[in-house]
Amino acid sequence: MMLDQAQRAVGRELAGIRRLGVAYSGGVDSAVLLALAARLLGRDQVMGILGVSPSLAPDERASAHQVARLIGVPVVEIETHEGENPGYVANGPDRCFHCKDELFTRIGDEVVAAHRLDAVAYGENADDVRRLDRPGSRAATTHHVLRPLAAAQLTKADVRAVARQLGLPCADKPAAPCLASRIPHHSEVTPTKLAQIAQAERVLRELGFGDGRVRHHGDIARVELEPADLARAAAPGLRERLRTGIAAAGFRYVTLDLAGIQSGAFTLSVLSADD
């Protein structure tokens, strides 16, 4: 999809809105929505809203601000406290609902009136709508949060294409779901586990792996990488650096999953078992 087509389609979804807040993470979906909204409404009429909690990796927080500065739109940070919600901590398949519900509640309570926003939107795309593992979408409906990309039928491929045309540095950035997604369902989410995951995944980036997850299985860190990176990770020298670096985050064992990256694996496996 070309930029002008996407802009017209999203513009139809934002018709009548003067000031818009975008629930913003710095990922390609929310960044494209932020950039398109700025072009349509004006940079001074749009703001990014970044939820900050232990589930947000520090590197992701810094990157989000960098992309927003490039777009030319201000970002307001709000603290979210999903970790105080027993439903979130219990880490069932609906964990994302509790997280998004907390975010959208905080935005409604703290940001909308203070910044005179007419509406709040978030970066769900047309592919997300078809996925089963998106309970956060229910929270958006509950809080009347707009999803202009999905409504305009922009797929993930469309979003990335538009991001490239806009010159956004996150155009080809791998998906970066929150750190809690690395913890198996029904194993409690704790600040300690989230910090371990953040530290371990920083090791992956420092060793040059572009996309990777560290799944938290108690004493065991299960590393998921792109299939093309598996042989490199197991090579002598780098393998030991990988092991010692991740072990330093508090894991006793470090394993390499030969299946590679498995987006949504925990939630999808639970939902499939329930069918």
Side-chain angles (χ1 to χ4, degrees), residues 199-249:
Q199 182 178 340
E201 292 192 350
R202 187 178 301 115
V203 172
L204 297 184
R205 291 188 291 274
E206 290 172 350
L207 292 178
F209 296 104
D211 195 7
R213 306 277 190 278
V214 176
R215 306 291 185 182
H216 195 297
H217 298 273
D219 286 345
I220 301 171
R222 177 166 59 88
V223 180
E224 295 179 357
L225 298 171
E226 292 285 359
D229 285 331
L230 293 176
R232 176 172 169 255
L238 187 58
R239 180 184 65 196
E240 183 59 19
R241 292 172 63 194
L242 184 63
R243 187 195 69 78
T244 56
I246 293 177

Side-chain angles (χ1 to χ4, degrees), residues 7-218:
Q7 187 166 310
R8 284 195 300 270
V10 171
R12 288 192 289 271
E13 303 304 322
L14 298 181
I17 294 172
R18 294 181 303 105
R19 288 184 58 78
L20 180 72
V22 174
Y24 172 69
S25 67
V28 65
D29 296 312
S30 62
V32 163
L33 177 57
L34 193 69
L36 290 178
R39 292 166 68 99
L40 289 160
L41 306 180
R43 293 177 180 175
D44 58 343
Q45 299 298 316
V46 178
M47 60 183 298
I49 306 167
L50 178 64
V52 177
S53 76
S55 68
L56 177 66
D59 290 350
E60 293 297 323
R61 181 179 181 180
S63 175
H65 281 280
Q66 180 183 10
V67 173
R69 282 194 295 270
L70 180 64
I71 295 171
V73 172
V75 171
V76 170
E77 290 190 348
I78 56 171
E79 288 188 6
T80 60
H81 302 277
E82 60 273 15
E84 298 174 7
N85 182 334
Y88 173 86
V89 173
N91 196 21
D94 63 346
R95 182 201 63 244
C96 285
F97 168 79
H98 296 292
C99 185
K100 284 290 192 294
D101 184 62
E102 165 71 4
L103 173 64
F104 296 145
T105 297
R106 295 280 173 182
I107 290 174
D109 290 347
E110 301 175 17
V111 181
V112 171
H115 294 274
R116 307 184 315 280
L117 301 179
D118 298 314
V120 175
Y122 86 124
E124 182 180 88
N125 63 56
D127 289 333
D128 293 333
V129 175
R130 292 187 282 270
R131 291 189 59 158
L132 297 175
D133 59 329
R134 288 293 185 271
S137 179
R138 181 161 54 94
T141 300
T142 300
H143 291 273
H144 307 290
V145 174
L146 305 179
R147 45 198 110 192
L149 302 180
Q153 296 299 305
L154 270 69
T155 65
K156 190 72 169 189
D158 293 330
V159 171
R160 291 198 184 280
V162 170
R164 293 186 196 101
Q165 293 171 66
L166 289 167
L168 297 180
C170 57
D172 297 302
K173 179 182 177 181
C178 83
L179 296 175
S181 67
R182 294 10 169 218
I183 303 172
H185 286 306
H186 308 299
S187 176
E188 283 193 351
V189 177
T190 68
T192 298
K193 290 179 182 178
L194 296 173
Q196 285 181 286
I197 295 164
Q199 182 178 340
E201 292 192 350
R202 187 178 301 115
V203 172
L204 297 184
R205 291 188 291 274
E206 290 172 350
L207 292 178
F209 296 104
D211 195 7
R213 306 277 190 278
V214 176
R215 306 291 185 182
H216 195 297
H217 298 273

